[in-house]
Amino acid sequence: MKAAISLNPDAEVVKAVREGLKRTGGYCPCRLERTEATKCMCREFRDQVEDPSYEGFCHCMLYYKSYEKKGE
């Protein structure tokens, strides 16, 4: 199966998170600390992208990792 990263299908969530990213200079708006690990796309989600068993949203719900199902 091939992994795909997409934006949250909820446009309001995408808008809110992107506004938060602008306010924080590109750091995850739902994290208190401002480090390289919390710069969007955060280290937590990059690690989840590398994990072959993970499918789901990043912490702030901006991105979604999914797998193409066979035959799609």
Side-chain angles (χ1 to χ4, degrees):
M1 288 187 294
K2 184 178 176 184
I5 308 298
S6 58
L7 286 175
N8 189 322
D10 186 330
E12 289 300 313
V13 170
V14 172
K15 180 182 176 188
V17 174
R18 285 186 167 164
E19 287 172 357
L21 288 167
K22 286 179 188 176
R23 279 194 319 273
T24 62
Y27 293 95
C28 184
C30 48
R31 301 285 187 170
L32 294 177
E33 52 185 23
R34 304 286 183 249
T35 66
E36 284 303 308
T38 62
K39 189 90 166 178
C40 189
M41 177 180 292
C42 69
R43 181 180 301 145
E44 178 184 9
F45 191 60
R46 289 191 314 259
D47 290 345
Q48 290 169 329
V49 167
E50 296 299 319
D51 179 353
S53 66
Y54 181 79
E55 184 170 1
F57 285 102
C58 67
H59 186 264
C60 66
M61 304 287 289
L62 180 61
Y63 296 110
Y64 188 80
K65 176 188 172 191
S66 61
Y67 287 99
E68 294 178 5
K69 307 297 185 242
K70 196 169 189 160
E72 290 184 5

